[in-house]
Amino acid sequence: MKFKQLKEFPADFLWGASTSAYQVEGAWDADGKGPSVIDARTEFPAGTTDFKVAADHYNRYAEDVALFAELGLKAYRFSVAWTRIIPDGDGAVNQKGVDFYHNLIDELLEKGIEPILTMYHFDLPQVLHERGGWANPATVDAFVEYSRVLYREYGNKVKYWLTINEQNMMILHGDAIGTTHAGGEGRKRDLYQQNHHMFLAQARAMALCHDQLPEAKIGPAPNISNIYAASCDPEDVLAADDWNAIRNWLYLDLAVRGSYHPLAWAYLVENGYEPTIQDGDLDVLKAGRPDFIAFNYYATQTVGASRGDATDLKIRGSDQQIVRGEIGLYRGEDNPHLPKNAFGWDIDPAGFRTTMRAIWDRYRLPLIITENGLGAFDKLENGRVHDDYRIDYLRQHIEQIQLALSDGVEVFGYCPWAAIDLISTHQGAAKRYGFIHVNRDEFDLLDLKRTKKDSFFWYRSLIDSNGGSLQQ
Ligand code: BG6
């Protein structure tokens, strides 16, 4: 639909930016922090760094928050490293780790920046992993106890809470991200059992949040993107429908409605992947209710009907580790209408609008985008980073938020990835996302100096005009 006049962004719109603990903090073993599955990882894709130092935010958070304030952020979405708070996942609390996030949150509040706290962003405590990780139901209890500590410590400072970042990507691409491990025979069934346990953990944490912090708001943070059929052949449309249910709605239906999406459940049963559901699990799932939906969006996916053989599988751009397609279910297809970024990821601003519409249409809960952004090989030259390609990307996506608002979708915030350069999940330090450049190479830490990119100044004036400068 075209509008003569677009709706304005709400006056209290949360213009923000995002990071996650392990990708930005570094200090992987400082002040009593325990190892996470990410720290325990020994193999990284050729030519890419580990996460031990990252952007050294742990030591430079005050300088970074001062820059976020200069950027004009109204909100900052970050994650807490579970292993700083409870080093072995379910034992004693580490006061120094607790203090770090108090200091960070206090610094944000003092600068008028709303903290949006993610409890778990891929970095499961290694000790829990060694006890079976999410396949072990004890991890559910450990997560709930961890969330209780977070509510107790930060509940009077933090209003917005996110449970689990991109649970769907951990299940679908856990090997590439280094998170949810499962191997051999029964691998997928094991993953979907882990998935079920994460749903229980999330539901219990949401219920506990409402019980302990009646003023707080909490929601899930999956990666949601619209699925296109490669053609109007009804078989392609059915494949798109199937994949939409399995990739997207499975995760939001559980979070919002507390029940398995019927089509996704049929897929699990058909393939023998269905998790064991214990007595009482369904009640637990029903009792967890989000106040809003946070979601991450990078690009849509295009799919066709399966041909039933290996030609269904397609590698995403130069990203050898991400394979699209599942034999017998759907075929990964290219979308000839979309440009790609330097890593072969599609760029689809209009798909962002259709994704927002679809989520709103299904759940009617307020939306906040907690990730969206462009990974690029930025160059620091003469003290400047001219990232006009990032400005274009962000402008085009923010325009779609305004269109979605005009469509009647309720969106209350936008936190692009990333506030500052950090380490990509599986494509190293050279793949940069931030508004602020961090001077380090893949293996040479240089001086880690911060430099404001051109996108920093652009986003600042956009925030300053509450989105008004989009029209200029
Ligand atoms: C999301 C994750 O999947 O995408 C982030 O929540 C991640 O942690 C971001 O960094 C971009 O992906 P990548 O692989 O380019 O770092």
Side-chain angles (χ1 to χ4, degrees):
M1 194 175 354
K2 297 234 190 290
F3 294 97
K4 286 185 212 70
Q5 180 81 41
L6 294 181
K7 264 198 192 154
E8 289 184 1
F9 286 89
D12 54 357
F13 191 77
L14 292 177
W15 295 103
S18 276
T19 62
S20 86
Y22 81 92
Q23 292 175 273
V24 77
E25 287 175 3
W28 70 285
D29 62 351
D31 295 338
K33 180 179 174 299
S36 71
V37 290
I38 305 286
D39 303 318
R41 211 171 138 179
T42 50
E43 290 189 7
F44 297 90
T48 64
T49 176
D50 59 25
F51 297 87
K52 292 194 162 60
V53 178
D56 195 33
H57 174 71
Y58 186 76
N59 294 308
R60 298 170 194 239
Y61 73 90
E63 177 191 352
D64 291 344
V65 173
L67 284 164
F68 300 163
E70 198 184 327
L71 177 56
L73 295 188
K74 309 275 187 228
Y76 173 54
R77 181 242 179 175
F78 63 97
S79 79
V80 170
W82 186 342
T83 50
R84 280 198 201 285
I85 305 292
I86 304 175
D88 64 3
D90 72 349
V93 170
N94 172 36
Q95 193 54 44
K96 284 193 172 160
V98 170
D99 292 346
F100 170 70
Y101 295 104
H102 271 301
N103 295 338
L104 172 65
I105 293 166
D106 290 347
E107 202 75 28
L108 291 166
L109 292 173
E110 194 189 298
K111 302 248 171 351
I113 302 174
E114 186 78 56
I116 301 178
L117 186 157
T118 311
M119 299 181 197
Y120 165 45
H121 190 125
F122 299 163
D123 49 358
L124 185 72
Q126 174 66 7
V127 174
L128 296 184
H129 171 67
E130 283 164 13
R131 291 188 212 141
W134 283 109
N136 182 348
T139 299
V140 178
D141 298 327
F143 182 79
V144 176
E145 287 317 303
Y146 162 57
S147 75
R148 193 189 300 278
V149 175
L150 297 182
Y151 300 148
R152 187 181 68 220
E153 289 294 335
Y154 311 121
N156 62 348
K157 301 178 180 182
V158 174
K159 180 171 167 203
Y160 294 99
W161 298 79
L162 307 176
T163 53
I164 301 178
N165 179 72
E166 294 196 354
Q167 182 177 326
N168 51 345
M169 293 303 103
M170 284 196 273
I171 297 304
L172 297 169
H173 301 296
D175 289 337
I177 311 172
T179 51
T180 29
H181 310 265
E185 189 82 353
R187 172 189 155 76
K188 279 219 175 172
R189 192 193 168 279
D190 182 57
L191 281 171
Y192 282 104
Q193 189 65 53
Q194 297 186 37
N195 200 34
H196 182 68
H197 289 149
M198 278 193 245
F199 286 133
L200 291 171
Q202 169 167 270
R204 285 177 57 191
M206 291 196 294
L208 186 65
C209 180
H210 290 133
D211 179 58
Q212 311 268 296
L213 308 173
E215 301 298 314
K217 293 187 184 301
I218 189 161
N223 178 310
I224 302 295
S225 28
N226 210 2
I227 310 293
Y228 298 136
S231 79
C232 52
D233 178 339
E235 293 302 323
D236 288 345
V237 175
L238 275 171
D241 227 32
D242 288 345
W243 187 233
N244 218 348
I246 294 161
R247 184 204 188 278
N248 293 318
W249 307 139
L250 167 62
Y251 296 86
L252 282 177
D253 272 19
L254 256 312
V256 179
R257 300 175 176 161
S259 58
Y260 273 86
H261 186 288
L263 190 49
W265 184 255
Y267 158 83
L268 296 176
V269 173
E270 173 64 22
N271 291 286
Y273 304 154
E274 79 272 27
T276 303
I277 298 186
Q278 304 289 349
D279 283 352
D281 282 4
L282 298 178
D283 296 332
V284 168
L285 292 171
K286 283 264 179 248
R289 293 269 163 185
D291 301 289
F292 60 84
I293 292 173
F295 73 102
N296 301 345
Y297 173 86
Y298 288 87
T300 48
Q301 255 183 268
T302 302
V303 313
S306 164
R307 290 187 191 154
D309 58 34
T311 64
D312 283 349
L313 308 177
K314 189 168 195 63
I315 285 164
R316 178 174 62 179
S318 58
D319 194 347
Q320 298 290 325
Q321 294 184 76
I322 306 287
V323 175
R324 294 279 165 70
E326 186 171 325
I327 299 171
L329 180 67
Y330 79 97
R331 177 180 177 81
E333 292 278 10
D334 245 337
N335 188 328
H337 304 286
L338 300 177
K340 295 190 190 309
N341 73 15
F343 296 84
W345 296 24
D346 287 342
I347 299 179
D348 186 6
F352 187 27
R353 181 182 182 187
T354 58
T355 301
M356 287 182 272
R357 285 181 178 199
I359 303 173
W360 173 251
D361 198 31
R362 236 181 128 78
Y363 304 106
R364 290 289 198 281
L365 280 173
L367 306 185
I368 180 167
I369 296 92
T370 39
E371 282 183 40
N372 169 239
L374 184 74
F377 295 105
D378 297 339
K379 285 270 166 302
L380 177 69
E381 280 164 338
N382 305 321
R384 299 294 302 266
V385 177
H386 298 302
D387 58 342
D388 39 313
Y389 37 86
R390 180 167 294 109
I391 295 173
D392 284 348
Y393 178 99
L394 293 171
R395 179 191 286 111
Q396 289 172 29
H397 284 78
I398 297 169
E399 280 169 359
Q400 297 297 323
I401 301 178
Q402 195 169 12
L403 285 161
L405 285 167
S406 306
D407 290 334
V409 179
E410 197 180 322
V411 187
F412 69 97
Y414 176 66
C415 298
W417 191 258
I420 183 166
D421 281 350
L422 35 66
I423 312 299
S424 152
T425 56
H426 68 296
Q427 293 186 302
K431 187 183 195 184
R432 296 174 182 273
Y433 281 93
F435 291 107
I436 299 164
H437 181 272
V438 173
N439 195 34
R440 63 161 289 175
D441 283 343
E442 210 65 60
F443 301 107
D444 186 344
L445 294 173
L446 303 175
D447 58 7
L448 292 157
K449 184 171 175 268
R450 277 53 176 152
T451 301
K452 297 164 216 163
K453 302 183 191 176
D454 287 359
S455 57
F456 180 101
F457 300 102
W458 175 83
Y459 195 43
R460 181 167 75 181
S461 55
L462 185 90
I463 296 174
D464 193 45
S465 65
N466 197 34
S469 62
L470 272 180
Q471 318 309 335
Q472 288 157 20

